Amino acid sequence: MRLALCVLWLGVAPMNAVAAELTSSCDDQLTVRDSEGRLLVAIPMPPGAGWCMAWNHSVEGFEVLDCYRHVEGQMVLERSHLPDFAAGLDHVPGRGRQVSDGQGGYWINDIDEAVPGNHYRLRVGAKRVDHRLVSRGKPTLERLVAAGRSCAAAWVEALPAQATPISLSDIAAGRLVSVGLEGRGVDDHGPG
């Protein structure tokens, strides 16, 4: 019994420490809003944290990734993964550095472009395209969502219930949304 309690405590303590650390960053969120401005998804996104928008290519069906990070109040596109040179997917010279992924595809690294206004508009694809938010590094989106549950803010109601990936196609297929970084520590407070 004592061993079981010790194992339980060891498993809970690191999560509580992460939650306490992240709770201090409840001011900034990755948000998804519908065209009327209603909040559909909100996830705490402290400075330094990152995420990717993943989707399945509409013709070829493979996964494409655009990976972002919260950098000093800016939503920054850092890198993209493209598994093929399919229609509409190629590297633009002078925009990042293309490197092989070792499996026939490629990463475009070092894009490092701030997203204008800290948000972009997206027409969410059907389930076969499945636009979805996925984790990128530490802290994971799961940890950010768990930490967000202890935030005392109105946006907590928009925390996703499920673990990642967080499918935007499940909640807004065919609709225009705005994906953005919002909050007190963010240069522009979201969609305008």
Side-chain angles (χ1 to χ4, degrees):
M1 179 68 170
R2 186 175 282 178
L3 178 61
L5 288 174
C6 183
V7 170
L8 177 64
W9 180 82
L10 289 173
V12 172
M15 183 57 182
N16 288 341
V18 170
E21 174 186 318
L22 294 175
T23 299
S24 66
S25 298
C26 290
D27 291 338
D28 302 332
Q29 310 88 44
L30 171 62
T31 63
V32 179
R33 292 181 178 275
D34 68 12
S35 60
E36 313 295 308
R38 285 184 298 262
L39 194 57
L40 303 175
V41 174
I43 302 167
M45 196 56 59
W51 70 95
C52 295
M53 176 67 74
W55 71 93
N56 303 325
H57 188 273
S58 61
V59 175
E60 300 296 328
F62 50 62
E63 182 179 78
V64 179
L65 292 169
D66 284 331
C67 298
Y68 301 86
R69 186 166 308 281
H70 178 179
V71 179
E72 298 176 0
Q74 292 289 311
M75 178 180 182
V76 176
L77 174 62
E78 290 189 323
R79 65 192 306 220
S80 293
H81 182 255
L82 308 158
D84 195 338
F85 285 102
L89 300 177
D90 57 357
H91 176 232
V92 176
R95 185 176 185 246
R97 184 175 47 83
Q98 180 180 324
V99 296
S100 172
D101 68 0
Q103 299 175 4
Y106 58 99
W107 281 98
I108 302 172
N109 292 328
D110 306 322
I111 298 173
D112 300 330
E113 289 179 357
V115 175
N118 278 327
H119 75 279
Y120 61 89
R121 303 232 184 258
L122 171 70
R123 171 95 38 212
V124 178
K127 189 59 180 171
R128 72 181 184 85
V129 173
D130 196 16
H131 282 99
R132 59 204 177 274
L133 298 170
V134 298
S135 291
R136 167 142 196 251
K138 303 276 184 197
T140 64
L141 289 181
E142 290 89 354
R143 283 199 172 205
L144 291 167
V145 167
R149 298 214 185 286
S150 62
C151 293
W155 58 263
V156 171
E157 294 177 14
L159 276 168
Q162 76 273 26
T164 58
I166 299 163
S167 175
L168 302 184
S169 294
D170 283 348
I171 59 175
R175 295 168 51 197
L176 185 63
V177 301
S178 177
V179 178
L181 190 60
E182 300 180 29
R184 288 189 212 164
V186 177
D187 287 346
D188 182 340
H189 295 280

